[in-house]
Structures are given as structure tokens and as C-alpha cells.
């Protein structure tokens, strides 16, 4: 694989072609917040916490760094004004989930009536079960604002109670939903 | 098998077909589109058929069951050709009269003709009806002339001649250049250049390549694509085959929304016939080009109409948008180059090939060419499907074609672009219908939904309706869209419920901006449009709800109460309101008058509807109606229950 040179927060960074901005940033020591990213799983692009501002041929764009592949000459800002605005709003909207980033982005409370327990629908449990365990015991039920992770029930149930998904969940939702 | 091998075969077939049709001097055309069928058009057509049989007129009189004519509201529609006499609201009992007078005789059945309210005159043909007169019907024109499931009818009006021309006389690149030069822009939403998309797909490496028809049509109340697929499926198919040839696709899909069984059936019949005749399959028209098409039944949600979600659905996955930053034209269906266009976009293609890019460019504005079909609904006198040249003003569509608003109501706004579009106020009625102009003012062309609203529509309620729709029709995967919509809905609920707070408007604006920046797909990015545009043009309505707890349109039930204006109520009272009330909230007080008990009232509005027009005594009043506005206020304590 070839190498490309890009700029992250003004610093020149070398990265191998095909990796994402998030991975390139990590190896260059730049921390980008994430909620739905897990190295073992396919990038998912749902939490949008990892959004960064990129500049290419003079045009700027907001992209999810967990999905966007590195490109030669790309200039990336991981904490631009727009990016921090987005993260702040995300922390507020997901409150109390995502609180680990509250302090960094100066959020002390949410202006919204939030509260789907602590679930941010990052999908780590569902995806881990499908992609790593290959057992598809969990799925997303409903769509839109009714979407929830759920356990496949009845004759098609495949949960072997390995419990590995418990630790993936930062909000304890998986345990709660099994109770 | 009637296989067509060459362009000459096709021309012969057309001549034969036209001759066979000419053998019958009179044709009765019954619209059997979904709208007319709801009014019993199938039975009407059956009635004509047996009447023709009974009278032994099978050789002289032909019968055609066609797709939607557009003026569904006045259905069932019957047109007698070749004179073009157009009857509205035709019933089975009218059949003998129509047969005697118009089919066999030279007279018209006056009472079934359109009555022009302005001139007070009845008009004989569709072309004279204002609803049709101001339209420019190109894509929809053949809907009236052909039986949807008859490939011969389609060939009779010139069908598949564009395909023959493209395959025999044009290189794939020449087709692409023609479509590019015509500047055909996508009719499904974003208005992207079809020619450019085809070219990218052609130039992308990978095989096979796929061409897809997007017939998901999730916009509530819109039925442009449905009418094309139901009424003239071959035109969509012909466009698709030409496009496939141009971009080098060998397999095609027609994705049809689950709720459209008839569209699916007709599309399937079109595919089967086309294959039989040699317009699909191997070596089409002897050109060496192979292409075939399969129908895919849609999965239901609005979001599945989004291009990458649709591709996921065809692959058998959940119909959710792909988060990837790649184009379908490079990595689409099963990772292969794929081109997706809307039903109406494809239907334009045969016309462009046959009549040329210059002809197409002669209609429209600088950057929006051709015609556009709109589904004109809401508070207009003439609702239905209308096809207009690009560049026509919204005012002309609503007032000339739509005939304005019924019951002398005042125009308030028009929503274009469906749930992801925006609402535009009276001041913008002279805006031309144009992709870029609509974008600039905060709405969009979308797929062609157009909902007219009158003074009784509350803009907060309108925004809430769309936000609620999208909150349930998005996939719910990404946080900005799902949680943004959830909070927008909460805020709008609270404003409409009289619980709005200072700062709510600004919070909605902040959420809108955030969702546009951060959402994963175009649904979330465009979802704030109804909220944004209604705040932009009707901010005072939001403010009235929040600051004065008043709904200026009198639509938000939490902010109004029904009252009986004692000065208008009849003497003695007729009691229609009390009888209509299901919860006994309207009772007689000791003066003999009726009174609404607000504690019991559930604000269903039945009394408002029940009160005879001549009295108009039940009114919607703001909950905190100042006492001085009552001409004579009975004191509440007088109520005896
Ligand atoms: C939420 C959402 C729903 C959509 N629904 C439809 C639809 O029902 N029909 C359609 O043709 N395009 C729909 N689109 C647009 C498609 O993504 C795509 O742009 C279009 O089919 C491309 O065809 P065109 O270029 O001919 O318009 C939708 C887009 C979004 C974001
Ligand atoms: S980590 Fe990229 S969207 Fe969640």
C-alpha cells in the first residue's frame, strides 16, 4: 500500500493509503472523540462524534473521520469551531450518554428533555454480536425515534449468553434490557 | 412470437397497429387510474364493454382503459375520441345516454361536461378545461391515449422508436451527450444532471453495471411516479433501456414501493411484453446490446427511497443509507457501478432521444429544462396531477391550473419538495419553478409534491406534522437526525400546546443548523427544511404561540376553545351542535341557549362542522379570549347542568 501525506491540525502526517482519518490521527497522537467506533468492527458512522472539518482543493467539508479515507494533500481540522459546536450538541442530545466528553466541550447540562436510559444506539452490542460472534442475537427494533437495540426472541433466538456485549455498553443498557 | 428485430420491423408494426385502431371510428377512453377507480371507474368500463357487446358495436367502437389523466378529483373521467369530448363524474347510469348521444350520435351530454365557473359555460374537450389548458403535458399525454398494459398501444403512439433510434443510429456516447446537452436533471430530489451521472457510471471500472428506477415515492400525498408506472410503464422502461445502453449496464431494477401493487403489476407486464417483442433480453433490436430488468418490491419507509438505502434494500439488507463516502456510480449495487434515477427522469429520456436536446431545452429556465409533474393537493379547487413547463410561476400553478382556493379562503403558503422541502409564503408566489430558485428560498423541487395551505393552516402545526413524519420514517441510525428530530418534535409539541418558552425558536434554529451539518444522509440534512422555512416566513406565528399562547390560524387545539356566539345562534336554537357532540359538552343553559362546557369539551370540532352555514354560530376562539370581545357574555355561573 502506498503512503499519502496529509495535514492534521497543521501537522504533516504520513499515512498508508486506505486507512481512515481517525486511524491516521490516532497514530499521529491526535485524539478524536468517538462513541460508535471499535477497531474490531466495521466503521459505522452513526454517533457523528468523530466529525472533522476537511479541506480539499480550497473547499471545506464536514465528514465522519471514522469513515473518510485519507487522501494526499488533505487538510484536517479536528477541533474547528464547527466541529466543537457539533460535539457540544451531541453531548447535550445524548445526555447522559456521552458524558465522558462533557467536560472537554464545556457542557454542564442539557437543554433538552433526553433520556432513553443511557443508550446512544452506538450499536456496539448489535454489531459485535453480528460481526465478531457471528451470532446475530441482537438487532435494532423499530426505526426513527423508536429505534432500540433488542434481543431476538422466540424460535430464532441465538443468544448463547456469552455476555461479551455487556462490557461494550457504556450505559449498562444491555444488562437492563435483558432483565 | 411477434419479435421485433429491426427498426423497420418496428415501423411496420406501428403502421399495422394504427390501421387496426383506425378501423374503429370511435374510441371510448375510461380512466382507470387509482383515483378514478376509487370512484368506480372499473365498473364503469365494464359497463361500457357490455353495452358495446349488447349493441353489437364491437367492430365500430373501441374501449380503452387508461392510466391516470390527472384530474382525479372529478373522476371517473371518460373521453370519447376522436372528438375528444371529456366527461367528468361519469356514472354507470350515464352509459346508455353517452352511447346514444355521443358515441353513435353527434351530441354531447351537457350535464357531464366541465362547467367553467368564471364564464358559466360548459366546455366540450379536456383542452378547454383550465386545469388542463395551462399545463404542458408531454410525459402524461400518452396516459390518456393508451391502454397501460398494451404494448401495441404504446408502439402506436411512437413507443420504442427512441430505443430503435438510439441503438441503430447513435453511439452510447452520443446518447449521453444528447442527454447532457438537454440538461435533464433528476426529478427525484436533488436535481443532479442525469447525463453526467450516466457518464460517470460508463467511465467507472467494474462489471456488470446496473441501472435502477427509483419508484419508492415516499413523499406523502404525491403520486406522480405511481401514475407513470401505472399508466405508461413502457415509457419508463424504454427510458431505462436507452440509459442502460448509454452507460453500458446489463442489468436493471425497477424498485416499486410496497403500497403500489398496480404499478408493480403493470411494470411487470411491461417487462414481460417488452421481452416478448425483443426490446429486452439478448441482442436487442439486432444491436448486440443485452439488457434485462427485474422488479424489486420496496420495503416501506421513506428513508428507503434514499439512493444508498435503496441499493442496500435490493441487496437484501435493511433499507438504511450507507455511511460510506463513495458514489454509487463507482461502487453501488454489489459494489459495482450503478446508476439510479427517478421514474420521471427515465420517462423523459425517450422524448429527448426522439425530439432532440434542442427541443427539450426550448422549455424551461436557464438551468431547469423540460417539464415537471406536480401532485397539486391541499386547499385548491382543482387538485390532481399537473405537468407544467419549468419556469412557470407557483401562482400560475395554484391559481390558473388549480383554480385558486375553495370557499373564498385566503392563501397562506405552499409546501414544495415534500417532507424535506419548505413552505413558501404569498410574497414568493411569483417565483418560477426552477431547481435553483426553489433551493435559494429554502425549499426544493423535490419529487413534485405541492401542498397548498389556506389561512386555517397553522405553520407550527404544519412543521410539527412533517417533523413527526420524518421522526418515524428516518432509519434512526445516526444521532443528529434521530435525536435532533426527537427534540424538534418535543419543542414543536410544546409550542403548539401553549407551553412554548422564550428561546424555543432559537433552539429550533440551532438544531436545524446542527442537523444539516452533522447528519449521515440527506434525510437528516434536509429534515429541518419545514421548520426553518416556516420560521423564516412565519416567525410571527411561532411568537404568537409562545408569547401570547395564541394560534393565529385557530388550528392548535390546546390554544382554542369552541364557543357559541349567542348573537348568531338561531332562536329557538336548532340544537345541531348539541346533537353532534359525542361527550355531551354542549348543554342548554336556563336562558334556553346552548353553551359549551369547556371542562368537558374534547375539541373534536364536531359542533363547528354541525352548525348550519346560515348561522355560523360556533366559532373557534383563543382560550384566553378577552371578555370585551363578546357582544353579550352570559356569565358562566348561570349554567345549569
Ligand atoms: C430520505 C430520502 C428519500 C428519497 N426518496 C426518493 C423517492 O421516493 N424517489 C426518488 O426518485 N428519489 C428519492 N430520493 C432521492 C434519491 O436519493 C436519488 O437522489 C434519486 O432517486 C436519484 O434520481 P434522480 O437523479 O433521477 O432524481 C430520496 C432521497 C432521500 C434523502
Ligand atoms: S465514531 Fe465515527 S460516527 Fe461514531
Amino acid at each position: 500500500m502506498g503512503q499519502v501525506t496529509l495535514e492534521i491540525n497543521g501537522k504533516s502526517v504520513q499515512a498508508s493509503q486506505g486507512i481512515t482519518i481517525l486511524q491516521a490521527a490516532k497514530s499521529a497522537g491526535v485524539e478524536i472523540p468517538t462513541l460508535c467506533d471499535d477497531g474490531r468492527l466495521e466503521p459505522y458512522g452513526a454517533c457523528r462524534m468523530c466529525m472533522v472539518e476537511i479541506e480539499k482543493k480550497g473547499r471545506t467539508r464536514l465528514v465522519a473521520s471514522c469513515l473518510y479515507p485519507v487522501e494526499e494533500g488533505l487538510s484536517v481540522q479536528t477541533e474547528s469551531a464547527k466541529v466543537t459546536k457539533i460535539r457540544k450538541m451531541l453531548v447535550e442530545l445524548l445526555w447522559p450518554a456521552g458524558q465522558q466528553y462533557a467536560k472537554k466541550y464545556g457542557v454542564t447540562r442539557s437543554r433538552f428533555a433526553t433520556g432513553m436510559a443511557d443508550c446512544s444506539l452506538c450499536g456496539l452490542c448489535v454489531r459485535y454480536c453480528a460481526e465478531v460472534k457471528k451470532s446475530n442475537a441482537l438487532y435494532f427494533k423499530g426505526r426513527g425515534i423508536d429505534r432500540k437495540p433488542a434481543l431476538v426472541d422466540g424460535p430464532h433466538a441465538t443468544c448463547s449468553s456469552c455476555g461479551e456485549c455487556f462490557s461494550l455498553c457504556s450505559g449498562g443498557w444491555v444488562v437492563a434490557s435483558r432483565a | 412470437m411477434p419479435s421485433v428485430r429491426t427498426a423497420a420491423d418496428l415501423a411496420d408494426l406501428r403502421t399495422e397497429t394504427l390501421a387496426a385502431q383506425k378501423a374503429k371510428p370511435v374510441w371510448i377512453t375510461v380512466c382507470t387510474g387509482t383515483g378514478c377507480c376509487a370512484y368506480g371507474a372499473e365498473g364503469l368500463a365494464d359497463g361500457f364493454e357490455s353495452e358495446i357487446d349488447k349493441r353489437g358495436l364491437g367492430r365500430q367502437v373501441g374501449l380503452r382503459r387508461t392510466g391516470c389523466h390527472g384530474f382525479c378529483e372529478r373522476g371517473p373521467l371518460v373521453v370519447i375520441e376522436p372528438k375528444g369530448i371529456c366527461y367528468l363524474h361519469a356514472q354507470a347510469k350515464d352509459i346508455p345516454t353517452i352511447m346514444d348521444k355521443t358515441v353513435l350520435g353527434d351530441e354531447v351530454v351537457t350535464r357531464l361536461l366541465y362547467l367553467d365557473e368564471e364564464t358559466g359555460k360548459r366546455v366540450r374537450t379536456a383542452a378547454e378545461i383550465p386545469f388542463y389548458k395551462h399545463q404542458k403535458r408531454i410525459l402524461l399525454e400518452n396516459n390518456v391515449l393508451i391502454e397501460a398494459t398494451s404494448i401495441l398501444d404504446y408502439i402506436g403512439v411512437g413507443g420504442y422508436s427512441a430505443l430503435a433510434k438510439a441503438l441503430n443510429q447513435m453511439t452510447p456516447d452520443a446518447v449521453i451527450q444528447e442527454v447532457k446537452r438537454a440538461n435533464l436533471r433528476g426529478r427525484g430530489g436533488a436535481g443532479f444532471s442525469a447525463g453526467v451521472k450516466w457518464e460517470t457510471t460508463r467511465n467507472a471500472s467494474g462489471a456488470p453495471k446496473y441501472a435502477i428506477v427509483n419508484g419508492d415515492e415516499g413523499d406523502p400525498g404525491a403520486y406522480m411516479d405511481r401514475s407513470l408506472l401505472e399508466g405508461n410503464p413502457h415509457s419508463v422502461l424504454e427510458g431505462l433501456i436507452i440509459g442502460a445502453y448509454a452507460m453500458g449496464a446489463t442489468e436493471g431494477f425497477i424498485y416499486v414501493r410496497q403500497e403500489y401493487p398496480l404499478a408493480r403489476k403493470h411494470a411487470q407486464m411491461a417487462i414481460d411484453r417488452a421481452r416478448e417483442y425483443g426490446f429486452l433480453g439478448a441482442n436487442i433490436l439486432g444491436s448486440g446490446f443485452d439488457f434485462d430488468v427485474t422488479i424489486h418490491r420496496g420495503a416501506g419507509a421513506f428513508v428507503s427511497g434514499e439512493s444508498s438505502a435503496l441499493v442496500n434494500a435490493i441487496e437484501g439488507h435493511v433499507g438504511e443509507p450507507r455511511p460510506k463516502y463513495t458514489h454509487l456510480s463507482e461502487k453501488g449495487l454489489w459494489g459495482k457501478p450503478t446508476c439510479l434515477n427517478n421514474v420521471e427522469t427515465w420517462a423523459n429520456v425517450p422524448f429527448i432521444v426522439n425530439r432532440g436536446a434542442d427541443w427539450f431545452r426550448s422549455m424551461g429556465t436557464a438551468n431547469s429544462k423540460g417539464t415537471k409533474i406536480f401532485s397539486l393537493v391541499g386547499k385548491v379547487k382543482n387538485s390532481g396531477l399537473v405537468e407544467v413547463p419549468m419556469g412557470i410561476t407557483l401562482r400560475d400553478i395554484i391559481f390558473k391550473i388549480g383554480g385558486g382556493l375553495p370557499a373564498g379562503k385566503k392563501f397562506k403558503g405552499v409546501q414544495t419538495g415534500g417532507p424535506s422541502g419548505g413552505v413558501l409564503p404569498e410574497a414568493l408566489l411569483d417565483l418560477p419553478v426552477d431547481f435553483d430558485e426553489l433551493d435559494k428560498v429554502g425549499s426544493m423541487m423535490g419529487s413534485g409534491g405541492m401542498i397548498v395551505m389556506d389561512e386555517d393552516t397553522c405553520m407550527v402545526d404544519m412543521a410539527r406534522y412533517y417533523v413527526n413524519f420524518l421522526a418515524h420514517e428516518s432509519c434512526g441510525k445516526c444521532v443528529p437526525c434521530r435525536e435532533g428530530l426527537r427534540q424538534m418534535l418535543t419543542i414543536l409539541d410544546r409550542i403548539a400546546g401553549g407551553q412554548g418558552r422564550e428561546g424555543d425558536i432559537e433552539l429550533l434554529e440551532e438544531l436545524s443548523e446542527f442537523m444539516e451539518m452533522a447528519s449521515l444522509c440527506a434525510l437528516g440534512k434536509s429534515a429541518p427544511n419545514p421548520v426553518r422555512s416556516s420560521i423564516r416566513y412565519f416567525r410571527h406565528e411561532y411568537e404568537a404561540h409562545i408569547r401570547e399562547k395564541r394560534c393565529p390560524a385557530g388550528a392548535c387545539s390546546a390554544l382554542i376553545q369552541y364557543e357559541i356566539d349567542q348573537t348568531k345562534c338561531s332562536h329557538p336554537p336548532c340544537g345541531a351542535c348539541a346533537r353532534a357532540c359525542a361527550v355531551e359538552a354542549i348543554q342548554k343553559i336556563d336562558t334556553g341557549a346552548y353553551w359549551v362546557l369547556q371542562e368537558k369539551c374534547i375539541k373534536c370540532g364536531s359542533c363547528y362542522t354541525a352548525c348550519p352555514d346560515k348561522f355560523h354560530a360556533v366559532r373557534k376562539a383563543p382560550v384566553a379570549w378577552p371578555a370585551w370581545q363578546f357582544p353579550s357574555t352570559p356569565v358562566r355561573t348561570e349554567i345549569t347542568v
Side-chain angles (χ1 to χ4, degrees):
Chain A
M1 271 281 185
Q3 290 280 308
V4 296
T5 311
L6 67 158
E7 221 175 64
I8 299 182
N9 298 341
K11 229 174 61 185
S12 178
V13 172
Q14 292 267 327
S16 30
Q17 207 154 19
I19 71 165
T20 64
I21 295 177
L22 181 66
Q23 290 166 326
K26 194 174 259 169
S27 37
V30 178
E31 197 68 40
I32 298 176
T34 62
L35 287 176
C36 70
D37 184 62
D38 183 317
R40 294 164 293 181
L41 306 176
E42 282 288 306
Y44 189 55
C47 74
R48 315 307 275 177
M49 196 60 94
C50 70
M51 289 195 88
V52 295
E53 196 163 356
I54 58 168
E55 193 186 320
K56 199 164 104 179
K57 295 181 196 136
R59 285 183 39 204
T60 60
R61 222 177 128 191
L62 291 158
V63 299
S65 63
C66 67
L67 287 160
Y68 203 93
V70 292
E71 283 169 15
E72 182 65 40
L74 205 63
S75 160
V76 181
Q77 290 294 331
T78 66
E79 302 286 336
S80 75
K82 279 185 185 163
V83 166
T84 49
K85 209 167 165 179
I86 289 172
R87 298 205 185 125
K88 232 171 145 142
M89 186 62 103
L90 285 170
V91 173
E92 274 195 78
L93 284 172
L94 288 172
W95 198 267
Q99 270 182 93
Q100 61 267 45
Y101 301 119
K103 201 159 160 221
K104 180 166 181 197
Y105 293 102
V107 183
T108 48
R109 62 177 195 102
S110 171
R111 287 169 292 171
F112 305 102
T114 57
M116 192 188 143
D118 288 349
C119 183
S120 66
L121 275 89
C122 65
L124 288 175
C125 54
V126 177
R127 291 153 58 213
Y128 181 84
C129 190
E131 293 174 30
V132 177
K133 300 296 290 185
K134 310 250 182 265
S135 84
N136 290 301
L138 294 160
Y139 72 113
F140 288 110
K141 191 173 169 174
R143 62 170 178 251
I145 57 175
D146 299 324
R147 185 178 171 107
K148 285 182 184 63
L151 193 64
V152 179
D153 259 342
H156 301 293
T158 49
C159 178
S160 60
S161 300
C162 72
E164 287 168 41
C165 56
F166 289 25
S167 62
L168 292 169
C169 182
S170 58
W173 174 262
V174 183
V175 184
S177 70
R178 277 181 63 91
Chain B
M1 209 163 64
S3 191
V4 180
R5 296 244 157 267
T6 62
D9 284 357
L10 181 66
D12 289 347
L13 191 58
R14 182 171 180 206
T15 315
E16 267 170 48
T17 307
L18 290 178
Q21 287 173 358
K22 279 237 175 66
K24 293 183 184 179
V26 186
W27 283 84
I28 302 169
T29 303
V30 181
C31 174
T32 49
T34 303
C36 283
C37 278
Y39 291 116
E42 278 295 351
L44 185 71
D46 291 345
F48 271 113
E49 195 170 302
S50 51
E51 189 76 11
I52 294 171
D53 265 0
K54 205 169 80 191
R55 300 192 187 200
L57 293 171
R59 284 169 169 280
Q60 292 98 317
V61 181
L63 175 74
R64 244 188 223 117
R65 296 166 198 253
T66 73
C68 178
H69 295 193
F71 208 9
C72 317
E73 187 194 84
R74 306 289 176 101
L77 305 178
V78 173
V79 182
I80 313 293
E81 301 286 7
K83 282 182 236 155
I85 310 290
C86 176
Y87 291 136
L88 314 170
H89 285 320
Q91 302 295 319
K93 65 175 170 34
D94 302 320
I95 294 174
T97 327
I98 296 177
M99 291 295 288
D100 291 337
K101 287 197 166 179
T102 316
V103 176
L104 299 173
D106 210 7
E107 285 174 69
V108 291
V109 187
T110 316
R111 66 186 163 82
L112 294 176
L113 294 174
Y114 178 82
L115 174 67
D116 192 331
E117 276 177 28
E118 243 160 62
T119 59
K121 286 204 185 107
R122 302 247 175 203
V123 301
R124 296 160 65 100
T125 62
E128 297 165 84
I129 300 176
F131 175 78
Y132 290 110
K133 195 161 67 184
H134 301 287
Q135 295 191 38
K136 180 138 189 117
R137 294 166 69 93
I138 291 165
L139 306 176
L140 285 178
E141 190 191 14
N142 288 336
N143 264 31
V144 185
L145 303 175
I146 63 172
E147 191 143 322
T149 53
S150 160
I151 193 169
L152 287 177
D153 271 10
Y154 183 63
I155 290 172
V157 295
Y160 289 109
S161 60
L163 177 65
K165 180 175 172 185
L167 293 183
N168 293 328
Q169 301 169 28
M170 297 168 83
T171 60
D173 191 52
V175 176
I176 289 179
Q177 293 317 318
E178 198 68 10
V179 174
K180 259 172 84 175
R181 207 164 63 78
N183 195 5
L184 171 63
R185 296 176 65 175
R187 296 330 196 212
F192 195 77
S193 159
V196 170
K197 203 146 78 175
W198 295 9
E199 194 167 46
T200 323
T201 311
R202 174 159 195 91
N203 293 337
S205 55
K209 290 178 180 166
Y210 300 102
I212 308 179
V213 178
N214 188 343
D216 196 49
E217 198 162 58
D219 182 349
Y223 60 112
M224 301 75 52
D225 298 344
R226 168 187 211 153
S227 293
L228 283 172
L229 284 174
E230 283 180 4
N232 193 355
H234 283 288
S235 69
V236 180
L237 186 59
E238 187 181 358
L240 177 67
I241 306 171
I242 296 171
Y245 167 70
M247 68 186 84
T250 48
E251 274 180 62
F253 290 88
I254 304 183
Y255 185 97
V256 189
R257 185 188 161 112
Q258 171 162 4
E259 291 86 341
Y260 289 177
L262 190 65
R264 231 168 24 238
K265 182 174 153 202
H266 285 186
Q268 186 61 56
M269 285 170 85
I271 291 172
D272 294 344
R273 284 302 92 71
R275 208 179 280 133
E276 252 170 62
Y277 276 75
F279 302 127
L280 276 180
N283 192 18
I284 297 171
L285 290 174
S287 65
F289 168 61
D290 307 336
F291 182 64
D292 217 328
V293 182
T294 322
I295 293 200
H296 189 94
R297 182 171 149 172
F302 178 68
V303 70
S304 351
E306 192 274 340
S307 46
S308 66
L310 188 143
V311 163
N312 271 347
I314 294 183
E315 286 183 6
H317 302 124
V318 182
E320 283 175 6
R322 294 180 173 177
K324 300 266 162 70
Y325 290 98
T326 45
H327 290 294
L328 292 184
S329 41
E330 273 143 17
K331 269 191 165 159
L333 196 56
W334 293 296
K336 304 294 180 192
T338 300
C339 177
L340 174 74
N341 279 117
N342 168 260
V343 167
E344 190 181 336
T345 313
W346 290 116
N348 271 293
V349 173
F351 290 99
I352 294 172
V353 168
N354 259 339
R355 303 186 189 177
D358 290 322
W359 163 82
F360 193 77
R361 294 177 63 86
S362 70
M363 297 174 288
T365 60
N367 283 311
S368 303
K369 303 293 187 192
T371 62
K372 176 78 195 84
I373 307 179
F374 286 98
S375 158
L376 180 64
V377 296
K379 302 294 171 61
V380 273
K381 279 192 193 142
N382 309 322
S383 63
L385 273 197
V386 305
E387 183 176 353
V388 291
M390 294 280 190
I392 188 174
T393 63
L394 292 168
R395 189 186 299 281
D396 281 351
I397 298 181
I398 297 165
F399 289 90
K400 282 195 180 156
I401 298 173
L405 284 73
K409 290 281 183 187
K410 251 189 78 176
F411 173 87
K412 184 184 268 184
V414 57
Q415 171 87 12
T416 67
S420 324
V423 61
L424 303 174
E426 172 142 38
L428 290 175
L429 276 181
D430 292 311
L431 198 76
V433 165
D434 175 293
F435 287 102
D436 313 304
E437 294 289 324
L438 284 169
D439 262 3
K440 263 190 235 157
V441 294
S443 184
M444 61 179 203
M445 182 82 76
S447 59
M450 190 175 280
I451 304 176
V452 180
M453 300 171 222
D454 69 8
E455 53 193 307
D456 295 338
T457 313
C458 166
M459 288 299 146
V460 176
D461 192 44
M462 185 274 321
R464 186 173 59 153
Y465 167 82
Y466 286 115
V467 167
N468 184 47
F469 174 85
L470 292 168
H472 290 97
E473 291 294 315
S474 101
C475 66
K477 176 171 167 176
C478 84
V479 178
C481 177
R482 183 187 69 241
E483 298 306 324
L485 283 166
R486 192 197 310 277
Q487 294 308 331
M488 276 188 161
L489 188 58
T490 309
I491 297 168
L492 290 167
D493 270 343
R494 131 172 127 216
I495 297 177
Q499 309 291 315
R501 307 171 194 157
E502 275 307 324
D504 273 354
I505 301 180
E506 291 71 19
L507 199 50
L508 285 172
E509 287 174 325
E510 202 182 322
L511 276 171
S512 300
E513 195 198 346
F514 157 78
M515 288 166 68
E516 275 161 31
M517 288 195 296
S519 294
L520 188 157
C521 87
L523 189 149
K525 286 181 201 289
S526 61
N529 282 344
V531 173
R532 280 212 138 165
S533 59
S534 57
I535 293 179
R536 178 163 167 191
Y537 300 116
F538 300 93
R539 196 180 185 102
H540 54 277
E541 288 202 22
Y542 281 81
E543 288 169 349
H545 282 76
I546 295 170
R547 299 193 184 144
E548 303 161 42
K549 310 296 173 211
R550 182 173 66 84
C551 172
C556 291
S557 64
L559 298 181
I560 53 148
Q561 59 187 29
Y562 289 94
E563 294 177 348
I564 298 167
D565 185 337
Q566 304 299 340
T567 60
K568 289 187 177 167
C569 188
S570 64
H571 293 287
C574 72
C577 54
R579 284 193 299 278
C581 182
V583 293
E584 297 182 345
I586 300 188
Q587 306 215 345
K588 230 180 202 162
I589 54 178
D590 52 9
T591 58
Y594 281 95
W595 185 256
V596 184
L597 298 178
Q598 299 302 339
E599 319 77 77
K600 280 196 171 182
C601 177
I602 55 166
K603 297 179 185 176
C604 67
S606 302
C607 54
Y608 186 77
T609 324
C611 181
D613 280 345
K614 60 182 171 194
F615 303 131
H616 205 62
V618 179
R619 68 177 170 207
K620 292 182 202 171
V623 167
W625 188 274
W628 55 265
Q629 287 195 15
F630 285 100
S632 60
T633 320
V635 183
R636 272 162 204 257
T637 47
E638 284 174 15
I639 302 165
T640 51
V641 188

